[in-house]
Amino acid sequence: TLTVTSANHWVTAWLGLELNMISILPVIAKQKHPRSTEAATKYFLTQATASALMLFAGTINAWQTGSWNIMQLNNKLSCVLTIAALTMKMGAAPAHFWLPEVMQGATLATALLITTWQKIAPITLLYMISNHTEPIITLSIGLLSILVGGWGGFNQTQLRKMMAYSSIAHLGWTMTVISIMPNIALTNIIIYMIMSTPFFMLLMTTASKTLQTMTTTWTHTPTTTIILMLLLLSMAGLPPLTGFTPKLLILDNLVTHKLTLTAATMALLSLLSLTFYLRTTYLLTSTAPPTTTQSTTAWRLKPHQNQITALLAPIALFNITILPALLT
């Protein structure tokens, strides 16, 4: 990832992406289970295709313009192909089909890695070529991702698949604004990472994988339940939580650039995501499970993950007051 983020040359960026992909394959296939092997295979095929497409785009650009520099992507065809490749790399719609399947086959820790760290390299490359991107293409990909992310998460009972669709929707918000205001797109994805990290860590601590197992957390640790509820609402983008800030900034910029209809469509489509976040919140906090436990459960005695959660959870919930000051 660091090779990609510090690269100027297309081949160096491609090399970094390939190393990154090869390194995470054993992590995904770590469990000795057919589903994790299938997830690793799907991840490998999609990422290899996307990397090849990106290298092809870089080669065409070098052939036409004589430059391998990432910042000088002046060829129109190369630019479109690169956006397509990076869309596939990140798992934004319409190349999103691999993401829910891969996340469902992986452990919660690996799913966290795929939704956060693995997004850094392609987002950095998109940020670097944002001057040359066609706004109509990025807006279309963004709107489609928000729609797919909201619609796909509707009937999910598996938390990993639900978070995969949530990731697709957040990538949609990033994509819509990347060619207009790349800094705000970057802010959006960073805040998403800050919100999803403590969420996944709390799921790991409580060993919750489905909505059904989530309903029993209230009897074990009420504090965890309250933090999970607030994190879900923050991801849904409800004020005054942190998740509202990037959405507000993105809509504000779209309206400023006379894209009011696009902004209104995005706001309406985000209600789809809000529905499944609220449903999860309701199951988590408002439904009392039928039995209460009398014994100390095993996962209450695992304090090692709590430092990171304790650090990130407050940022994921309460930094709306300082963020506009940071951006101006």
Side-chain angles (χ1 to χ4, degrees):
T1 304
L2 295 175
T3 307
V4 179
T5 50
S6 57
N8 284 319
H9 197 286
W10 275 115
V11 177
T12 319
W14 172 79
L15 190 71
L17 287 170
E18 288 293 301
L19 282 170
N20 185 349
M21 177 193 71
I22 292 163
S23 308
I24 202 169
L25 286 176
V27 181
I28 299 171
K30 189 178 71 157
Q31 290 174 294
K32 301 291 181 284
H33 193 278
R35 187 170 280 172
S36 55
T37 314
E38 183 191 338
T41 311
K42 283 178 178 172
Y43 188 82
F44 169 72
L45 290 172
T46 49
Q47 298 294 316
T49 310
S51 294
L53 191 60
M54 197 192 83
L55 189 63
F56 178 55
T59 311
I60 289 176
N61 187 62
W63 181 35
Q64 295 292 330
T65 63
S67 169
W68 279 101
N69 196 319
I70 294 174
M71 309 288 269
Q72 294 171 2
L73 193 69
N74 298 321
N75 185 277
K76 279 279 169 66
L77 176 63
S78 296
C79 195
V80 173
L81 286 174
T82 308
I83 293 170
L86 294 174
T87 302
M88 199 171 181
K89 275 259 169 221
M90 292 185 298
H96 66 280
F97 294 100
W98 62 272
L99 186 61
E101 301 298 322
V102 169
M103 279 181 65
Q104 186 55 33
T107 59
L108 281 166
T110 314
L112 167 63
L113 207 61
I114 292 167
T115 46
T116 54
W117 187 261
Q118 293 300 98
K119 300 274 188 282
I120 294 173
I123 288 279
T124 309
L125 288 172
L126 261 178
Y127 182 80
M128 287 167 83
I129 64 161
S130 57
N131 287 339
H132 304 288
T133 52
E134 287 285 332
I136 188 75
I137 296 173
T138 52
L139 281 169
S140 306
I141 291 171
L143 280 169
L144 190 61
S145 296
I146 297 168
L147 176 65
V148 166
W151 224 328
F154 242 55
N155 288 330
Q156 298 301 336
T157 53
Q158 296 285 340
L159 287 171
R160 281 167 294 182
K161 274 195 174 178
M162 194 184 84
M163 288 307 292
Y165 283 109
S166 160
S167 170
I168 293 164
H170 277 90
L171 281 173
W173 282 85
T174 305
M175 286 298 285
T176 43
V177 82
I178 192 99
S179 54
I180 302 165
M181 281 290 281
N183 288 351
I184 289 176
L186 216 55
T187 308
N188 181 53
I189 205 76
I190 289 165
I191 286 179
Y192 167 68
M193 288 175 189
I194 288 170
M195 289 187 297
S196 59
T197 304
F199 184 79
F200 269 107
M201 290 200 148
L202 289 172
L203 290 186
M204 280 188 261
T205 315
T206 57
S208 303
K209 290 192 176 77
T210 61
L211 289 177
Q212 192 178 3
T213 49
M214 236 179 154
T215 54
T216 57
T217 48
W218 182 253
T219 48
H220 300 315
T221 50
T223 317
T224 303
T225 315
I226 290 164
I227 295 171
L228 278 171
M229 176 194 79
L230 288 169
L231 285 169
L232 278 165
L233 294 177
S234 185
M235 276 190 242
L238 294 181
L241 303 166
T242 305
F244 173 66
T245 312
K247 285 186 167 58
L248 180 69
L249 290 168
I250 289 168
L251 292 177
D252 178 47
N253 267 284
L254 288 173
V255 173
T256 309
H257 286 83
K258 304 281 190 294
L259 293 164
T260 315
L261 190 63
T262 313
T265 313
M266 285 168 68
L268 287 170
L269 289 177
S270 67
L271 293 175
L272 290 167
S273 302
L274 179 65
T275 309
F276 69 80
Y277 286 126
L278 283 180
R279 184 191 60 183
T280 314
T281 309
Y282 171 74
L283 283 171
L284 192 63
T285 53
S286 305
T287 52
T291 52
T292 54
T293 178
Q294 299 300 321
S295 59
T296 306
T297 40
W299 54 258
R300 289 184 71 176
L301 307 171
K302 282 199 287 183
H304 60 278
Q305 290 162 337
N306 295 349
Q307 291 89 345
I308 301 171
T309 313
L311 177 71
L312 290 178
I315 304 172
L317 299 177
F318 304 118
N319 82 339
I320 187 165
T321 47
I322 60 159
L323 201 81
L326 293 175
L327 285 170
T328 47

